Amino acid sequence: MRFETFKWIVQKLTQGQNSYVSDEWGCFVNSRYSIFVLLICLFSGPFAVQAQNARAFIDLSVSPSKVYAGQPAILTYTVYTDQYFTQPPEVSNLQMDGAFLVPYDRSYSLFLQKGGKNLPAIQFKFRIFPVQAGKLTLPPLNFTVTMPTEKNPLGVEQKVKSHGLTLNVLNPPGGPPGESIVGTSASLTQKWSNPLASVKEGDVVERDIIINAGGTVAGLLPEVKLDSLDWAQIYEATPVTKDNRP
């Protein structure tokens, strides 16, 4: 509406009218004035933009809301603002009892639809691997965001805090973690340092047992338990674990 009114004023001026008074803005315009004067008059009215303090919000979600012990859930913190970020948000360390926590390697920038508006947002994601069945509390997380204010359009740091959530954790059908593997795949291989057929009394033989599992973390893999042998003494080395992130 205001853009159309602006075009109509310019047309009147180019048609040689002596003057025009806008009831909406109360500005007097004479054909002897330049268009530049007209623009100043317009922007001194409702077109003028006044800087406002930006606000930040946090959405917290977890998916799925119910998992087996050892099964990962995705925890997502979405930080968004009604204006813009002048610096990337900073997140405090997330500490959680009763679960292994694996953060994603990077954050994700996107736009959210809120109230019919596209608002800039940044997502922080974590993989959660609960250790045991029960209620797992997902604690609030503190964020530092830098956004414009009326006095400082370059941005001022503000502290915002998320709410918390609860994750329902069930016992897996095969038994709790430590007794079974909860994941997408699993395999067990072994390797002997010498063929058993050629072993003589007094020889030292090494046996490597390797467990590979997908969709879990090394800390949740079960301990390998060996039965005693009547023909050899077993000396167990310290297990070596490794997580390979995709």
Side-chain angles (χ1 to χ4, degrees), residues 217-240:
V217 291
L220 291 176
L221 295 180
E223 180 184 355
V224 176
K225 298 179 180 180
L226 299 177
D227 295 332
S228 60
L229 301 175
D230 56 3
W231 56 272
Q233 182 69 38
I234 299 177
Y235 299 92
E236 186 175 349
T238 303
V240 177

Side-chain angles (χ1 to χ4, degrees), residues 131-167:
V131 174
Q132 58 187 7
K135 298 287 187 180
L136 179 63
T137 300
L138 310 178
L141 197 58
N142 296 313
F143 290 84
T144 301
V145 296
T146 306
M147 302 176 299
T149 64
E150 185 175 349
K151 296 182 178 180
N152 189 347
L154 297 181
V156 174
E157 286 189 356
Q158 299 183 32
K159 305 292 185 180
V160 290
K161 187 176 183 179
S162 72
H163 61 282
L165 285 178
T166 300
L167 180 65

Side-chain angles (χ1 to χ4, degrees), residues 78-81 85 89 108-112 119-123:
T78 304
V79 185
Y80 62 99
T81 176
F85 297 110
Y108 299 85
S109 299
L110 67 156
F111 285 92
L112 293 181
L119 302 182
I122 298 180
Q123 284 186 339

Side-chain angles (χ1 to χ4, degrees), residues 16-156:
Q17 300 291 331
N18 289 329
S19 63
Y20 171 73
V21 178
S22 169
D23 294 332
E24 183 176 359
W25 297 296
C27 301
F28 176 81
V29 180
N30 191 283
S31 59
R32 294 173 297 176
Y33 297 153
S34 67
I35 299 299
F36 176 74
V37 176
L38 176 62
L39 291 175
I40 293 178
C41 182
L42 286 174
F43 280 96
S44 66
F47 269 90
V49 178
Q50 181 180 8
Q52 297 179 352
N53 293 342
R55 297 177 298 169
F57 310 90
I58 300 177
D59 285 346
L60 173 60
S61 64
V62 61
S63 179
S65 60
K66 183 183 297 184
V67 296
Y68 290 115
Q71 177 186 355
I74 306 301
L75 179 63
T76 303
Y77 293 87
T78 304
V79 185
Y80 62 99
T81 176
D82 56 1
Q83 291 196 28
Y84 56 89
F85 297 110
T86 57
Q87 295 288 339
E90 298 178 1
V91 58
S92 61
N93 291 329
L94 178 59
Q95 298 181 350
M96 188 178 303
D97 295 329
F100 288 94
L101 195 66
V102 181
Y104 278 53
D105 292 334
R106 64 183 182 90
S107 57
Y108 299 85
S109 299
L110 67 156
F111 285 92
L112 293 181
Q113 278 283 343
K114 296 285 185 179
K117 297 180 179 180
N118 285 327
L119 302 182
I122 298 180
Q123 284 186 339
F124 299 85
K125 293 188 175 185
F126 302 84
R127 291 184 181 92
I128 305 171
F129 295 86
V131 174
Q132 58 187 7
K135 298 287 187 180
L136 179 63
T137 300
L138 310 178
L141 197 58
N142 296 313
F143 290 84
T144 301
V145 296
T146 306
M147 302 176 299
T149 64
E150 185 175 349
K151 296 182 178 180
N152 189 347
L154 297 181
V156 174

